[in-house]
Amino acid sequence: MEPLNLSDVATDCVLAFEPVAFEAGKPLEDHVAEDVTVTGDRDRLRHLISILLDNAVKYGAPGGTITLTLERTERQARLTVANPGDPIPPEHLPHLFERFYRADSSRGEQSGFGLGLPIAASIATEHKGTLKAESDQASTRFLFSMPLKK
């Protein structure tokens, strides 16, 4: 764990996923605050953000814009990845971070093993952070927050 600029990590992930999202017909936008400094493991945080972007590309509505937002609050870095698509039923949301869990076999592409979100949640916990999911008619959002560098 070392001080690092989470803004740079998030921007690098967006740049890496732009071609993937473009090929999938899902534009990728980012709104990244500058110099959001945290204490963490750069590679693990990159993995967490990549998992969230990969899920958005897989499960987002065709033609829908995927949005990554990183903001700084008084004490936390907050990263949100949102994508439009069919809402995830509320009863499934608490289980998304369980290994091998599949919310609904009818939801879009089904490649993978149900391990990405549990890995992302584990990385969030390693960084004294939280990862949660929200879903409604507008979008599905994954919200990751962790403490800013002191």
Side-chain angles (χ1 to χ4, degrees), residues 38-110:
V38 298
T39 300
D41 179 319
R42 179 179 306 276
D43 291 337
R44 299 285 286 158
L45 290 169
R46 180 179 291 120
H47 192 187
L48 182 155
I49 297 168
S50 296
I51 288 168
L52 298 182
L53 288 171
D54 183 56
N55 269 6
V57 170
K58 279 184 187 173
Y59 299 110
T65 300
I66 297 165
T67 307
L68 178 143
T69 305
L70 176 64
E71 55 194 353
R72 178 190 307 104
T73 67
E74 196 171 303
R75 294 187 178 144
Q76 291 188 316
R78 281 203 190 134
L79 182 123
T80 305
V81 175
N83 61 274
D86 293 334
I88 298 170
E91 64 272 15
H92 290 288
L93 291 173
H95 302 288
L96 293 178
F97 302 103
E98 295 172 7
R99 291 185 328 159
F100 310 116
Y101 186 79
R102 304 295 257 170
D104 180 356
S105 60
S106 67
R107 283 179 48 83
E109 182 177 328
Q110 291 300 308

Side-chain angles (χ1 to χ4, degrees), residues 15 20 26 47 53 71 90 109 111 113 119 124 130-131 149:
L15 291 172
V20 177
K26 301 170 186 179
H47 192 187
L53 288 171
E71 55 194 353
E109 182 177 328
S111 64
F113 298 99
I119 290 169
T130 60
L131 179 60
K149 179 183 174 294

